[in-house]
Amino acid sequence: MSEARHLLSINDLGAEGIDEVLRLADTFVEVGRRPIPRVPALRGKTVVLSFFEDSTRTRMSFEAAAKRLSADVMTFAASASSLNKGESLLDTVRNIEAMGVDAFVVRHACAGVPTQVAGWLAGASVINAGDGAHEHPTQALLDCFTLSRERAGRLGVSPARPRVLEGLQVAIVGDVRHSRVARSDVAAFTALGAAVTLVAPPTLLPPSLEGWPVEVSHDLSSVLVKCDVVYLLRIQAERMREQYLPTLREYTATYGLTAGRARLLSPGALVMHPGPVCRGVELAAEVADSPASVITAQVANGIAVRMAVLYMLLGSGTALAAGGANDG
Ligand code: NCD
């Protein structure tokens, strides 16, 4: 990705590009531990957070990442913008770019909007922060980063990069159909050598899985006994136009990671979730809070990973030396 201007899809990176992000993120974890967690790497650059859809983690994580690199951050609030006066998205982004913006972090409910925005901009970079049910590349990167670190530390396996997840059995459980996280994670995990099994009721799988390098199961218990990682997805009701489930209670009974079912996991198996978690639906509260859960580590790692992405797209390659000036 060193040469690339945008990050729109995990496929823009491939295994080597993902590895490059993970290596760089390693160095930014150290920056986050400093008393003043800031380096001047992107001083003078401006990043605009353009979230057309709700977000807590992703928006704040990009904001923290940009600030730790000393970039200026502007926030675009779609609900309080001239879009409500009939201005087009095209005019909106071109006007924002005219103010001297270097990167747009774009989240939108429609798949493809970040790619469209990238095509309209003269020079600024676009980072896809989640587009409809299509992709969420930085989530997949922080998930790979979390897995590679947990694996190296907790599971005692040395991170033999670039296929750092080689041999890992990952189960992705839940509403795959509406999940951009699942699409990006499947691409990223398998690029790094993991084997992925999707576990979901047939109605919550994509209509076609052609080209997906995955196995499919409808029997969560039988998958739990042999997986190293179970990755839960939220039921994304906001994207559902029809009834996909009889009841949430039945979903939890069949596909939820309940406390009883979590006991089937082998010792050392990890529980992951991109958040927001609906406790008691896809994941029992006591499992979310158990030592197997790395959900808060995912969030913490997200900042270092997004710093790496911003730096690779906008940085000049200087001002990064460890222990560099904390003067942002
Ligand atoms: C996800 C998203 O918005 O795509 N969350 C996130 O970015 N961490 C998943 C979800 O909303 O369920």
Side-chain angles (χ1 to χ4, degrees):
M1 166 160 115
S2 327
E3 307 289 305
R5 196 175 118 205
H6 309 294
L7 175 60
L8 301 171
S9 160
I10 208 73
N11 297 318
D12 296 346
L13 295 171
E16 273 163 34
I18 297 172
D19 185 46
E20 202 182 331
V21 175
L22 304 195
R23 283 176 195 276
L24 195 51
D26 268 329
T27 67
F28 285 127
V29 167
E30 185 274 317
V31 172
R33 292 200 191 110
R34 295 182 193 173
I36 302 170
R38 203 171 269 241
V39 285
L42 294 188
R43 190 151 51 190
K45 302 283 184 189
T46 300
V47 175
V48 61
L49 307 176
S50 353
F51 281 65
F52 298 86
E53 201 194 53
D54 296 344
S55 172
T56 303
R57 273 155 291 272
T58 308
R59 185 172 45 77
M60 294 182 74
S61 177
F62 268 111
E63 181 169 352
K67 286 181 171 167
R68 286 183 185 183
L69 293 168
S70 304
D72 290 322
V73 178
M74 289 173 15
T75 301
F76 170 77
S79 60
S81 75
S82 292
L83 285 168
N84 293 334
K85 298 180 184 170
E87 186 170 42
S88 68
L89 185 61
L90 169 76
D91 285 326
T92 302
V93 299
R94 285 207 175 139
N95 278 281
I96 298 173
E97 188 184 29
M99 295 178 205
V101 166
D102 299 287
F104 284 75
V105 178
V106 179
R107 167 169 289 193
H108 202 286
C110 295
V113 166
T115 305
Q116 198 173 25
V117 170
W120 290 333
L121 296 172
S125 296
V126 175
I127 301 169
N128 181 358
D131 62 330
H134 177 225
E135 280 233 34
H136 194 350
T138 59
Q139 179 69 44
L141 291 168
L142 74 88
D143 290 336
C144 290
F145 186 67
T146 303
L147 274 179
S148 74
R149 284 176 80 87
E150 292 292 334
R151 212 178 177 214
R154 203 190 268 233
L155 309 179
V157 180
S158 83
R161 284 169 161 159
R163 283 174 67 84
V164 70
L165 305 185
E166 190 81 61
L168 207 68
Q169 299 284 335
V170 182
I172 299 182
V173 184
D175 184 5
V176 178
R177 186 185 186 112
H178 301 100
S179 176
R180 51 197 175 209
V181 173
R183 279 167 185 75
S184 293
D185 270 351
V186 166
F189 293 166
T190 55
L192 297 190
V196 176
T197 303
L198 303 178
V199 187
T203 52
L204 292 186
L205 287 171
S208 164
L209 284 169
E210 212 183 305
W212 288 57
V214 294
E215 307 257 311
V216 174
S217 170
H218 305 297
D219 178 7
L220 180 55
S221 298
S222 71
V223 173
L224 290 178
V225 293
K226 55 183 193 221
C227 71
D228 304 299
V229 180
V230 53
Y231 195 109
L232 285 315
L233 299 170
R234 187 174 60 88
I235 303 290
Q236 291 140 95
E238 73 277 15
R239 298 205 183 101
M240 295 185 181
R241 300 282 169 265
E242 338 168 4
Q243 177 108 16
Y244 289 89
L245 294 169
T247 63
L248 275 186
R249 183 192 289 246
E250 186 177 321
Y251 174 80
T252 304
T254 324
Y255 291 97
L257 189 59
T258 57
R261 229 179 242 125
R263 286 194 272 279
L264 296 171
L265 288 165
S266 45
L270 303 177
V271 175
M272 299 179 77
H273 194 303
V277 175
C278 292
R279 287 174 174 245
V281 180
E282 70 273 17
L283 180 59
E286 54 265 59
V287 184
D289 298 331
S290 72
S293 164
V294 292
I295 297 171
T296 46
Q298 289 173 265
V299 177
N301 288 332
I303 298 178
V305 167
R306 291 181 171 117
M307 286 171 82
V309 169
L310 286 168
Y311 182 75
M312 284 166 76
L313 294 176
L314 302 181
S316 61
T318 57
L320 245 200
N326 289 330
D327 60 351

